[in-house]
Amino acid sequence: QVQLVESGGGLVQPGGSLRLSCADAGRTWSNYALAWFRQAPGKEREFVAGVSWSGTNPIYTDSVKGRFTISRDSAKNTVFLQMNSLKPEDTAVYYCNAASYGGGTYRPINDLWGQGTQVTVSS
C-alpha cells in the first residue's frame, strides 16, 4: 500500500504559523478519513486532528482547538493542517494516516507510518 507523504514542517517562533500537507499520490485513501498525529521526544504518538473522506466532521484534540484547522482537497488528494499560534509544546514529528472515526476521535486504521515532518517551535 502506498504511504501518505507529509511535508511543510520547519522551525518557527512561538506564536507563528505553519501549514502541513499530507499527499495521497496514489489516491489509495480517497474513501477514508485522514488524520494527523504527532509524536514528541520521549512521548507516545497522539491524535491531533482528523477529517472524514468527504472533508466534513473535523475533530481536534483539546490542546489545539481554536489554533489548528484541518482541511481536505479531494481534487489534489491532499489533507492540510493549518497551525496558528504555535506553542513550544506543539514541537513534534507530525504524521498523517488513514483513520476511522469513533468515540469522538479518529484512530489510525493501520501501522503504515511515513517519515513524518518535523515541527519545532522555539525562540
Side-chain angles (χ1 to χ4, degrees):
Q1 289 174 315
V2 178
Q3 290 178 333
L4 298 160
V5 179
E6 305 93 345
S7 63
L11 172 63
V12 63
Q13 292 185 343
S17 298
L18 284 173
R19 189 192 195 204
L20 305 185
S21 298
C22 170
D24 177 15
R27 294 186 62 89
T28 303
W29 309 106
S30 58
N31 294 324
Y32 290 82
L34 290 176
W36 287 95
F37 303 84
R38 67 187 179 186
Q39 187 167 22
K43 295 186 177 181
E44 294 188 352
R45 187 176 285 142
E46 65 173 354
F47 167 75
V48 177
V51 68
S52 73
W53 68 271
S54 62
T56 58
N57 195 30
I59 301 293
Y60 303 91
T61 192
D62 286 346
S63 63
V64 308
K65 285 180 181 177
R67 301 188 298 122
F68 291 11
T69 302
I70 189 170
S71 61
R72 186 165 189 163
D73 186 334
S74 296
K76 296 182 179 179
N77 306 317
T78 302
V79 171
F80 302 98
L81 186 66
Q82 178 66 43
M83 306 188 296
N84 298 328
S85 302
L86 282 162
K87 304 175 180 180
E89 50 263 43
D90 294 317
T91 295
V93 179
Y94 285 69
Y95 303 88
C96 65
N97 205 342
S100 62
Y101 175 75
T105 190
Y106 286 93
R107 294 180 177 83
I109 64 169
N110 61 48
D111 201 32
L112 296 175
W113 299 99
Q115 295 295 313
T117 186
Q118 175 71 49
V119 172
T120 302
V121 185
S122 175
S123 55

